[in-house]
Amino acid sequence: MSEQPPAQPPIPPFKEAVAERAKVTRAIVDRVLREAGVVEEKATRRADHLALRRLSFSGEKQDTHMTDGQYTFLWEGLAPGLWGVLSDGANQIGKSTVIEVMLWALRGRVRSLKSEVREWINEVELEFTIGQELYCVSFTDFGSVPRGKLVMTVPGPPRTLDTFEGDEAFERLMGELMMRRFVLQPIPNISHMGDEANQYFHAWAAYAASMFIEGSHPAILGDVTVGALWWRMLHLFVGMPYAATHMALRNALTLEQAKREGFGAKQQTQRGYDAKIKRLEEEEKRISSELDDLPRTSVTSRELDSLTKESATLTRSVSELQERVASAQVGATALKAQRDEARATLRRLHEGAKSRKVFAGLNPVCCPRCASAFPPSQVDVEEAEGRCAVCNRSTLGKDEGALQDALQFAGERLDGLTRAENEAQKTLGQLQKKLKVAETRRTESAAKIREVERQTEALRSRRELEDSAMKLSGALDQLRALASQDDLIQPDAERVGVLKAAEAIAENRMKSGSLDQLSKLEAEVTNVAQRFGFRGLEAITIRGNGITLTVSGVRSTYSKQTAGQKLRLRVALVTAMMRLAHRSGFGHHPGLLLIDAPGSEELSDTDLLAMMTEIGQVASETPNLQVFVASARGDVLRPAFETANVRLPDLKGAIF
Amino acid sequence: MLVLGGLEGSIALVQWEDDVTLGPLAYPDEPTRQFRDALRLLFILAYGGEEVGEPPPVPNSVRFVSSQKRLQKMDFWVRNPDHLAYALLDRYEVEGEAAWLIHAREILESEEPEIRRDAMAKYLWGAYEPIDTGIAPLISYGLAQTQRNPETRRRSFLLLKRGADVARQMEKDLSEARWYASRAALVGDFCRGRTGADLARMQYKRPEYANAPNGETIASIAIEVRARLATMEGRHV
């Protein structure tokens, strides 16, 4: 049932086109694409679909208040078509658990299985087919550690593909199988963290999420809304030409771009480091030269102490000596004054004595009082009797003795004072000499201290400088370490050129090659959605930047649709893909849909039943589609299912 | 400690340690004082006095000093060469007559201010010591005479011819007397033409003189006058 491709001249080999466009050799294109991990698609995959065949799980329920105890759930004879796990209005009876266990076993990772429910599950076994192959994944789950194996039973003989222990190993194993079997490319994406850009991959878990539909979701496909993942998955599910190549190239370019930006940032940081290092190095040089210029000091603090003490002692002794000199000077001056006075006294005495002698040679002629003349006889009496001719005093002889006494006394006094003054002058001279010596020593000491202080200053400066130098050296080491950590990866202009050329060519080829398939898909989705009860839907346009709908002549978008319409569109998209794949024989979607609680989407009983009936109808028309529905509105939906395809609660009211 | 030997009685001990303390000193020149005073006054009259006119106010008088005040002032300058030097410098500054400066310099460059000083007490209006004791021998020996003006009650002091002869003889015989002759002549020249009141005003210019308490000796100004001369001569002391 494959369609004939339109007659067109074959396009040239991708790498050659890239080499031509990028103006590089083919070898360079090979290298760049290899380095970027870009693989050219050579062919699309024949559509094989996934179908669950048998599910069993067992364990022991606890604290349910009604159905505690060991259980085993077994659902056999599964095949493509519509299947339901229904209850009549009852919840919490295990409908969703069946769906969750299916998904768990298929992708190796639980989605939203409640942890207490997981506790009840001890063993799980799921048989499924992919195309003609039959697989069985079986594992135990004690303490939330899955341990099990994946066995390919058909074509026989059965062989264990691998065993696993732990969630990661389980997921890795299932991912490897599914990605390989459905030829799905990991979808690269870039995460930006600060300056860093890192590539990561959406793999099987993301693809598998597109098989699970729980009501309306912001994404039309899968459960990831960021990075237009639905659009990428759509391309890969549909098998659009060059889609994977284009994605890989787009990512390689983004990474390169990020690297380049990171390079810029790093370069700036590096330049910052370099400038800082240069500055610090200059500073270090300056300090080192300053250190060289500083006089080498040999001053110890003890020396400085002793010098300071010595200077203090000298200052004290100088000031003491100054005081002593001053007081000796005062003493000497006073002594000189006394000696002068003694000399004056002696002079006066001598003068007096001489005068007396002269006057004594004169005879009194009159009374000094009344000036009356003396008779000469009065003078004779003085000569004869030794009595004064004027006052008749009889002790004239004593005057000479008193004079001699006074003269001797004054002479001795002068001698004594002269000696004393000489002594004082001598002492003063000695003191002055001592003072001069002390002053000289003090001057020397002060000069020494000034020198030492200068040296101390130099020493302090040296220590400060050495300290700075040490800090600088530490800072430099750190900076150099930092700078060397950031080895710069120079973005390669050639690589960017090749990647850009390749991306442009891949995009071009993808677009031109996809256009036809995309328009077929759009028509099919429109058709299926209409059948599912999307009234008034006239056309759907699916593009990377969004899904546009024309409803009753009005253009709208997916995000503006009601929950019911979204549910219809989500189921319709996967259904349409499977229908196209069935018709063309090419496609990558596993063809399994797990729909949980569609009844909660504000759909009327009539609409819900109509939709589900139509899903059943479409599913029966689409041999590669298997749909499981879990719903508590079994009373409404029962007519949409074949009786054999429905699991109902047991007598205790539990699904398991 | 040094104790000056041989100095006892009224002479205080001079103690000498690191500093010098000097006790009060007595002036043991009293036994001859009146003769010395008489000598000085004789020479002031003989060399500082003015010639008497004709006829002499007193028979045989040759020179005179017109008042006791004037005689006291002249005596003060003879007894205090430092104060005289100060007055000489004042006169030099006013008159510009180099002779006064030369006299002042001679005094100040010698030890006169120290050795020739014969401290004088101040009483009420200036240097004043009763001069009667000094004058008495001159009168008794018939060398001088005093005369009181009946109107003014002022006493003038007259040198008699015999006094002039004795003074001349003393100047010849006694080296000590020669100094008095020349000094009295200088003071006489200095005071000539000035009243006792003028002279008192001149002496009062010095605070040491003006501010000395009554009855106390007028202090020496030797250091200051020497400094003044040095300043005048542009020298630093």
Side-chain angles (χ1 to χ4, degrees):
Chain A
M1 296 254 292
S2 63
E3 292 173 347
Q4 288 297 314
Q8 270 181 18
I11 50 174
F14 179 70
K15 284 177 182 172
E16 257 173 39
V18 173
E20 195 186 325
R21 184 172 179 134
K23 297 186 172 61
V24 293
T25 62
R26 177 66 199 270
I28 291 170
V29 176
D30 277 343
R31 174 176 64 76
V32 171
L33 294 189
R34 191 172 60 247
E35 279 170 5
V38 177
V39 183
E40 188 189 357
E41 291 167 53
K42 292 264 162 79
T44 55
R45 168 188 168 269
R46 282 254 9 130
D48 274 334
H49 66 94
L50 172 72
L52 305 189
R53 301 296 173 177
R54 176 178 164 271
L55 173 69
S56 76
F57 57 95
S58 60
E60 186 175 355
K61 289 197 281 186
Q62 288 160 2
D63 304 324
T64 62
H65 307 298
M66 49 185 289
T67 58
D68 281 5
Q70 292 197 336
Y71 70 88
T72 299
F73 174 85
L74 175 65
W75 202 358
E76 292 178 296
L78 299 172
L82 181 64
W83 300 79
V85 188
L86 306 176
S87 72
D88 295 340
N91 280 311
Q92 308 293 324
I93 57 167
K95 299 184 300 292
S96 294
T97 303
V98 173
I99 301 283
E100 291 290 349
V101 171
M102 287 173 177
L103 193 58
W104 180 14
L106 280 176
R107 67 177 195 172
R109 194 209 297 185
V110 289
R111 196 191 68 100
S112 66
L113 192 62
K114 291 178 188 155
S115 58
E116 68 267 23
V117 176
R118 185 170 174 176
E119 284 293 303
W120 301 343
I121 299 168
N122 294 335
E123 286 176 52
V124 179
E125 202 171 287
L126 177 70
E127 276 183 14
F128 56 92
T129 53
I130 298 174
Q132 302 303 310
E133 296 146 17
L134 175 64
Y135 297 88
C136 177
V137 59
S138 59
F139 58 96
T140 59
D141 188 65
F142 294 99
S144 294
V145 179
R147 290 182 183 85
K149 58 187 181 196
L150 175 64
V151 177
M152 187 165 84
T153 316
V154 178
R159 52 196 168 110
T160 302
L161 298 180
D162 212 342
T163 59
F164 55 86
E165 179 169 338
D167 289 329
E168 273 179 40
F170 188 12
E171 185 180 352
R172 195 166 52 242
L173 178 58
M174 293 312 291
E176 277 169 9
L177 171 71
M178 298 298 183
M179 296 293 279
R180 176 172 55 78
R181 274 307 279 111
F182 292 101
V183 195
L184 287 168
Q185 306 285 333
I187 302 173
N189 219 326
I190 308 289
S191 78
H192 295 266
M193 299 268 285
D195 288 343
E196 299 290 321
N198 285 304
Q199 185 164 239
Y200 68 97
F201 294 94
H202 292 292
W204 175 237
Y207 283 115
S210 74
M211 303 187 300
F212 184 85
I213 291 175
E214 187 185 32
S216 66
H217 194 276
I220 196 167
L221 193 64
D223 58 0
V224 177
T225 48
V226 294
L229 183 65
W230 69 271
W231 174 245
R232 292 165 176 234
M233 284 200 296
L234 185 67
H235 274 74
L236 295 167
F237 278 147
V238 171
M240 307 270 195
Y242 290 98
T245 309
H246 178 249
M247 256 174 240
L249 283 165
R250 168 67 57 88
N251 273 284
L253 257 178
T254 307
L255 262 183
E256 196 67 28
Q257 198 65 34
K259 236 189 250 172
R260 192 175 267 220
E261 280 163 13
F263 176 76
K266 273 180 190 167
Q267 228 179 4
Q268 210 169 350
T269 312
Q270 188 71 46
R271 273 199 294 274
Y273 286 151
D274 288 347
K276 220 171 193 174
I277 286 172
K278 199 177 164 203
R279 204 168 58 240
L280 290 187
E281 278 172 348
E282 275 165 10
E283 183 73 3
E284 201 176 35
K285 215 161 138 191
R286 186 185 64 75
I287 284 175
S288 149
S289 110
E290 263 184 45
L291 271 172
D292 287 345
D293 289 348
L294 274 183
R296 293 267 162 201
T297 58
S298 50
V299 182
T300 63
S301 55
R302 192 181 294 171
E303 272 177 295
L304 183 59
D305 273 359
S306 85
L307 272 171
T308 312
K309 268 181 205 152
E310 184 194 67
S311 169
T313 308
L314 280 169
T315 302
R316 205 161 45 242
S317 110
V318 162
S319 92
E320 275 169 14
L321 277 167
Q322 278 171 336
E323 268 177 44
R324 286 176 68 184
V325 163
S327 108
Q329 253 161 352
V330 167
T333 305
L335 273 173
K336 182 180 182 295
Q338 284 186 50
R339 193 173 75 94
D340 286 346
E341 187 52 44
R343 285 166 74 198
T345 301
L346 197 59
R347 190 256 317 156
R348 285 194 292 265
L349 269 173
H350 278 299
E351 278 176 13
K354 295 271 175 70
S355 305
R356 196 179 71 155
K357 222 176 218 170
V358 172
F359 287 126
L362 301 172
N363 283 327
V365 292
C366 68
C367 169
R369 175 68 184 152
C370 67
S372 67
F374 290 141
S377 58
Q378 208 163 335
V379 179
D380 296 340
V381 170
E382 186 181 303
E383 279 177 6
E385 298 176 15
R387 289 203 299 272
C388 174
V390 179
C391 67
N392 206 28
R393 189 166 63 96
S394 61
T395 54
L396 285 174
K398 288 185 181 172
D399 289 352
E400 184 56 28
L403 174 62
Q404 289 312 317
D405 284 351
L407 277 171
Q408 193 193 341
F409 196 65
E412 284 173 359
R413 181 163 182 269
L414 177 58
D415 287 348
L417 283 167
T418 304
R419 280 200 307 276
E421 201 208 332
N422 287 342
E423 202 66 37
Q425 288 293 352
K426 199 172 136 193
T427 309
L428 175 62
Q430 286 168 346
L431 281 172
Q432 279 171 332
K433 210 184 253 172
K434 268 192 191 170
L435 174 62
K436 207 170 171 184
V437 170
E439 277 175 341
T440 309
R441 280 184 61 200
R442 187 185 59 173
T443 308
E444 285 167 1
S445 168
K448 220 187 227 170
I449 282 178
R450 269 197 302 280
E451 170 61 19
V452 167
E453 274 171 350
R454 201 178 60 75
Q455 291 193 2
T456 313
E457 179 64 24
L459 192 68
R460 198 176 54 75
S461 303
R462 173 174 289 279
R463 291 212 179 113
E464 274 174 14
L465 283 172
E466 279 170 351
D467 194 37
S468 305
M470 222 155 73
K471 280 182 191 156
L472 267 178
S473 153
L476 268 172
D477 284 350
Q478 246 178 350
L479 271 173
R480 287 188 185 121
L482 273 174
S484 69
Q485 266 175 15
D486 273 312
D487 281 333
L488 283 183
I489 302 160
Q490 180 84 32
D492 186 343
E494 189 181 68
R495 185 163 60 233
V496 173
V498 170
L499 288 174
K500 271 188 176 166
E503 195 242 344
I505 291 168
E507 186 174 23
N508 200 28
R509 290 188 178 190
M510 177 184 78
K511 275 183 178 165
S512 62
S514 306
L515 222 53
D516 179 51
Q517 291 191 47
L518 207 53
S519 65
K520 280 179 186 157
L521 179 64
E522 285 165 354
E524 194 62 39
V525 172
T526 308
N527 174 36
V528 174
Q530 282 166 346
R531 287 181 63 183
F532 287 172
F534 198 136
R535 285 181 287 272
L537 178 67
E538 290 161 11
I540 297 177
T541 315
I542 302 171
R543 291 294 180 271
N545 55 1
I547 295 161
T548 316
L549 302 94
T550 308
V551 184
S552 308
V554 179
R555 283 171 70 81
S556 186
T557 59
Y558 172 77
S559 59
K560 284 181 182 164
Q561 302 308 307
T562 63
Q565 307 294 47
K566 278 181 182 166
L567 177 62
R568 287 186 175 94
L569 286 169
R570 298 193 77 191
V571 178
L573 179 60
V574 174
T575 306
M577 279 196 286
M578 295 319 292
R579 287 166 73 84
L580 281 179
H582 176 62
R583 260 180 268 151
S584 69
F586 297 101
H588 301 259
H589 198 280
L592 174 66
L593 268 180
L594 307 170
I595 304 172
D596 192 16
S600 59
E601 302 303 327
E602 299 169 14
L603 287 169
S604 69
D605 289 353
T606 318
D607 284 350
L608 182 61
L609 176 60
M611 183 181 84
M612 204 50 69
T613 305
E614 199 52 39
I615 287 172
Q617 184 59 41
V618 170
S620 68
E621 291 167 13
T622 314
N624 54 357
L625 185 62
Q626 187 179 36
V627 182
F628 287 88
V629 176
S631 175
R633 291 168 77 173
D635 49 343
V636 177
L637 291 176
R638 283 277 288 278
F641 294 87
E642 288 180 27
T643 311
N645 286 7
V646 175
R647 281 300 293 249
L648 295 169
D650 59 16
L651 292 174
K652 289 180 189 166
I655 295 292
F656 59 93
Chain B
M1 170 173 156
L2 171 73
V3 178
L4 297 181
L7 300 176
E8 292 170 49
S10 59
I11 301 296
L13 292 180
V14 177
Q15 293 191 327
W16 177 263
E17 250 179 351
D18 285 342
D19 59 344
V20 175
T21 52
L22 293 169
L25 297 168
Y27 294 88
D29 58 349
E30 288 310 306
T32 63
R33 175 159 196 164
Q34 72 271 31
F35 297 106
R36 183 170 38 92
D37 289 346
L39 170 78
R40 194 177 62 248
L41 289 169
L42 175 67
F43 274 83
I44 290 172
L45 287 173
Y47 293 90
E50 292 169 61
E51 286 181 21
V52 295
E54 282 293 330
V58 168
N60 294 318
S61 63
V62 289
R63 288 180 177 269
F64 77 104
V65 172
S66 56
S67 70
Q68 185 176 337
K69 189 170 194 177
R70 187 178 175 83
L71 184 59
Q72 291 275 14
K73 300 307 155 197
M74 291 172 82
D75 191 29
F76 175 77
W77 272 326
V78 174
R79 291 172 67 168
N80 293 281
D82 49 350
H83 285 269
L84 174 62
Y86 190 88
L88 289 167
L89 291 178
D90 278 352
R91 185 89 173 254
Y92 166 71
E93 281 190 334
V94 172
E95 298 176 3
E97 181 62 58
W100 304 124
L101 175 66
I102 292 164
H103 285 305
R105 189 187 295 140
E106 278 170 1
I107 292 168
L108 294 173
E109 284 176 355
S110 73
E111 281 189 308
E112 278 187 21
E114 287 78 29
I115 309 305
R116 287 285 162 187
R117 177 175 145 84
D118 196 348
M120 208 169 168
K122 182 193 169 196
Y123 184 71
L124 292 182
W125 299 283
Y128 185 91
E129 272 184 15
I131 58 169
D132 295 345
T133 315
I135 282 291
L138 299 182
I139 293 170
S140 184
Y141 293 129
L143 307 180
Q145 220 179 312
T146 60
Q147 186 187 44
R148 196 176 292 278
N149 183 321
E151 288 169 12
T152 60
R153 301 295 297 165
R154 183 186 286 170
R155 201 153 61 124
S156 62
F157 298 80
L158 299 126
L159 177 76
L160 299 178
K161 186 175 175 304
R162 182 172 139 99
D165 293 342
V166 167
R168 254 193 310 279
Q169 191 61 46
M170 283 175 99
E171 193 188 351
K172 202 183 285 177
D173 297 341
L174 289 181
S175 59
E176 289 85 355
R178 271 168 227 141
W179 183 83
Y180 283 106
S182 77
R183 180 52 41 93
L186 174 61
V187 171
D189 285 350
F190 187 77
C191 297
R192 191 151 296 121
R194 283 153 206 272
T195 64
D198 286 344
L199 305 178
R201 261 196 301 282
M202 289 166 77
Q203 289 176 359
Y204 261 98
K205 281 169 87 175
R206 286 301 310 166
E208 290 80 358
Y209 185 103
N211 298 335
N214 277 339
E216 300 221 345
T217 53
I218 294 163
S220 166
I221 56 168
I223 295 168
E224 292 89 332
V225 192
R226 286 195 172 109
R228 182 183 175 194
L229 176 65
T231 307
M232 286 169 72
E233 293 179 336
R235 287 184 285 116
H236 290 289
V237 181

